[in-house]
């Protein structure tokens, strides 16, 4: 079973700061998900990536398959980026389509 | 706009009550999942279903059961609610294909409080 570790668990930043959230996993995967959960509960998918880097606005996700590590970066952070960020990988020992989730990084961006 | 709909955002129930949490998806997804989310523990899988009338236990099935009579609907049942089942419950659905985790969609969550 894949193990997923995220760091840090909590992160407080000032508006405008560059933010990095890290995710490591133990078993080789085909792709990794970054998810965002705002207060109130709903989860949305930010990225799915299997190699290299993806960029969407101020969000950048990178993955190193050999090192089993991914990072989520936020440039020029803003209070509206405050949320819980979760990485997820396929659970190859489980059902088809099932994911294993990191415990999440709670980000708070202060104005 | 495709989506996963959970019937309630907030629920308060009494200890011992039978509780039904409903989840409906309109994407014709084969897989459906129920998770609970607790501070410091992240998302934990309760049950999943990969087809109508099929179900499999996840990591924490004790105290829960599920029903999937139609492809679009997956219900989570707390047979006799207890205070340790106070949590955020999230439903999700996905395509069957194991090779990709695209098409994985979550509901908005139900925050259940058992008093």
């Amino acid at each position: 079973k894949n193990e997923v570790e995220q760091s840090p668990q909590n992160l407080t930043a000032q508006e405008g700061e560059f933010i990095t959230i890290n995710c490591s996993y133990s078993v080789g995967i085909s792709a990794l998900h970054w998810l965002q959960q705002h207060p109130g509960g709903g989860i949305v998918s930010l990225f799915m990536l299997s190699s290299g880097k993806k960029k969407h606005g101020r969000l950048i996700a990178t993955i190193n398959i050999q090192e089993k590590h991914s990072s989520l970066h936020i440039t020029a952070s803003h209070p509206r980026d405050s949320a819980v960020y979760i990485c997820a990988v396929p659970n190859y020992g489980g059902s088809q389509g099932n994911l294993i989730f990191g415990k999440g990084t709670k980000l708070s961006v202060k104005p | 706009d495709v989506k996963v709909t959970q019937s309630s955002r907030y629920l308060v129930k009494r200890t011992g009550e039978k509780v039904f949490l409903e989840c409906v998806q309109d994407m014709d997804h084969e897989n459906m999942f129920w998770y609970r989310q607790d501070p410091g523990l992240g998302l934990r899988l309760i049950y999943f279903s990969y087809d109508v009338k099929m179900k499999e236990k996840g990591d924490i099935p004790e105290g829960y059961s599920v029903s999937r009579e139609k492809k679009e609907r997956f219900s989570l049942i707390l047979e006799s609610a207890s205070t340790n089942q106070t949590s955020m419950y999230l439903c999700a659905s996905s395509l069957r294909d194991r090779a990709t985790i695209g098409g994985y969609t979550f509901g908005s969550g139900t925050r259940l409080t058992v008093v």
Side-chain angles (χ1 to χ4, degrees):
Chain A
K1 183 177 177 178
N2 219 336
E3 301 288 336
V4 181
E5 296 287 337
Q6 271 187 251
S7 62
Q9 194 171 352
N10 292 284
L11 182 55
T12 300
Q14 288 298 125
E15 184 173 355
E17 284 186 9
F18 181 84
I19 288 162
T20 296
I21 299 169
N22 296 299
C23 177
S24 298
Y25 50 92
S26 58
V27 177
I29 58 171
S30 58
L32 177 144
H33 248 185
W34 279 103
L35 310 168
Q36 181 190 56
Q37 184 178 31
H38 278 284
I43 295 175
V44 296
S45 175
L46 297 174
F47 296 102
M48 184 182 74
L49 68 164
S50 54
S51 65
K53 179 168 75 173
K54 283 192 175 181
K55 185 175 189 291
H56 186 259
R58 295 179 294 103
L59 299 177
I60 303 167
T62 63
I63 190 168
N64 185 318
I65 296 291
Q66 287 74 30
E67 294 187 2
K68 299 185 178 65
H69 181 269
S70 177
S71 293
L72 177 68
H73 306 285
I74 305 175
T75 62
S77 60
H78 189 276
R80 65 175 174 265
D81 297 325
S82 298
V84 175
Y85 293 85
I86 302 168
C87 70
V89 300
N91 176 19
Y92 293 126
S95 76
Q96 296 175 352
N98 191 17
L99 296 175
I100 294 178
F101 300 86
K103 292 188 175 138
T105 296
K106 186 174 182 179
L107 171 65
S108 177
V109 182
K110 307 294 186 187
Chain B
D1 190 21
V2 295
K3 59 184 178 182
V4 175
T5 303
Q6 293 184 230
S7 53
S8 304
R9 290 298 304 274
Y10 300 94
L11 273 180
V12 180
K13 297 291 181 181
R14 295 196 180 276
T15 300
E17 277 193 75
K18 190 168 186 176
V19 181
F20 292 86
L21 302 183
E22 304 288 344
C23 176
V24 177
Q25 52 99 0
D26 63 3
M27 295 164 285
D28 203 33
H29 282 173
E30 294 87 1
N31 298 331
M32 296 189 75
F33 307 88
W34 274 107
Y35 296 91
R36 65 176 282 177
Q37 185 181 32
D38 301 287
L41 297 177
L43 284 153
R44 293 180 293 167
L45 181 64
I46 305 171
Y47 267 97
F48 61 91
S49 169
Y50 51 88
D51 204 347
V52 175
K53 296 191 185 295
M54 304 301 289
K55 60 184 179 184
E56 288 196 27
K57 294 179 180 179
D59 299 318
I60 50 165
E62 295 79 19
Y64 303 95
S65 61
V66 290
S67 173
R68 193 164 180 202
E69 296 297 317
K70 294 183 178 181
K71 189 176 185 179
E72 67 270 19
R73 186 180 296 268
F74 192 36
S75 302
L76 180 69
I77 304 155
L78 287 66
E79 296 291 342
S80 178
S82 64
T83 55
N84 64 12
Q85 292 178 309
T86 292
S87 187
M88 168 70 85
Y89 290 87
L90 285 148
C91 176
S93 71
S94 77
L95 295 168
R96 174 167 290 158
D97 186 359
R98 178 198 294 259
T100 175
I101 54 175
Y104 210 96
T105 306
F106 284 88
S108 299
T110 297
R111 189 167 293 281
L112 172 67
T113 302
V114 182
V115 298

